[in-house]
Amino acid sequence: QVQLVESGGGLVQAGGSLRLSCAASGSIGSISHMGWYRQVPRQPRELVATLTSSGDTNYADSVKGRFTISRSNTKDTLYLQMNSLKPEDTAVYYCTANAGFMTGRYDYWGQGTQVTVSS
């Protein structure tokens, strides 16, 4: 089992910055990759950025050059540095982790943190 808790969301003006954190606990050593998704009401959840255990990253085109995903050296915290924020970045941001066990691979999600960017 893996537990994820996001923090760092809030209200910021357009052009500002925020850093989201995702604290992971439980079977951290079983995690192969982690990521951030976001969702606005009545829309599907969309990928923001992913980070593999080998350090490979992938970003949505809409955030490339503005957002950076990273993980702590202790592997228990995932970050999303968000710069040059735009009103369209407003969403609930979710942390996710994929972990493998003898019974199979599972996706875990945090409860989400709200990011609101005012124009």
Side-chain angles (χ1 to χ4, degrees):
Q1 291 278 359
V2 174
Q3 294 79 41
L4 303 171
V5 178
E6 302 99 334
S7 62
L11 174 64
V12 64
Q13 287 188 332
S17 298
L18 280 175
R19 188 176 82 157
L20 305 183
S21 298
C22 172
S25 60
S27 301
I28 298 173
S30 299
I31 295 175
S32 60
H33 56 274
M34 301 183 74
W36 290 95
Y37 282 69
R38 65 188 181 186
Q39 188 171 26
V40 298
R42 298 176 293 281
Q43 294 294 325
R45 196 169 292 187
E46 67 170 358
L47 181 146
V48 176
T50 59
L51 175 65
T52 69
S53 56
S54 59
D56 295 326
T57 58
N58 181 50
Y59 295 92
D61 288 342
S62 60
V63 307
K64 281 180 181 176
R66 301 188 298 122
F67 292 10
T68 303
I69 188 171
S70 63
R71 196 172 176 187
S72 64
N73 290 336
T74 53
K75 306 295 185 185
D76 59 357
T77 306
L78 183 72
Y79 301 104
L80 184 68
Q81 178 66 43
M82 305 186 295
N83 298 329
S84 302
L85 282 162
K86 304 175 181 180
E88 51 263 44
D89 294 318
T90 295
V92 177
Y93 283 70
Y94 296 91
C95 173
T96 184
N98 181 269
F101 303 96
M102 291 187 64
T103 54
R105 302 203 65 85
Y106 303 91
D107 289 322
Y108 297 89
W109 294 86
Q111 82 288 351
T113 185
Q114 176 71 48
V115 171
T116 303
V117 184
S118 63
S119 57

